[in-house]
Amino acid sequence: PVGNTFGPKVPFVGISASFFDRAALDRATGAPIAYVQGKFAHGDVPSHVHETWPIGLLGRGLRLLGLWALARGARPSPYFDARGQPRAAVQVLSRRSDHGR
């Protein structure tokens, strides 16, 4: 998928960077703060890629999500309506069982 959300109550959209020009993406969003899940990489993995999630990054994410939840940042959502339903219909582009591998 191009992007995935956790649902209407979590402010996160995961997007694969491979869909974008790397330099343009970094200018628009800032440089990545970490490279994670290297255990799923194919071939040689650069030394700066973490095998899983560093505990510091996980703690930072949980802290930011907690602060966001206290500030009631879920509403309004650009992706979900007031009932928690997606604003756009889900479209399946491929049903490949090997997940692109």
Side-chain angles (χ1 to χ4, degrees):
V2 175
N4 278 329
T5 65
F6 288 123
K9 295 185 178 182
V10 180
F12 176 83
V13 176
I15 300 174
S16 175
S18 63
F19 286 98
F20 301 94
D21 172 81
R22 183 82 237 180
L25 181 63
D26 286 353
R27 282 192 305 276
T29 63
I33 58 172
Y35 295 87
V36 300
Q37 297 299 85
K39 67 182 179 183
F40 296 110
H42 297 273
D44 294 330
V45 179
S47 61
H48 67 278
V49 176
H50 297 275
E51 185 175 327
T52 59
W53 286 89
I55 193 72
L57 181 63
L58 189 58
R60 178 180 189 262
L62 291 173
R63 179 180 57 82
L64 291 172
L65 284 171
L67 291 171
W68 173 85
L70 289 172
R72 304 204 29 94
R75 298 287 186 255
S77 169
Y79 307 108
F80 298 92
D81 65 21
R83 297 182 329 258
Q85 299 301 308
R87 292 187 185 270
V90 175
Q91 182 179 4
V92 176
L93 301 177
S94 172
R95 292 192 178 272
R96 290 172 47 175
S97 62
D98 62 355
H99 301 288
R101 292 189 186 142

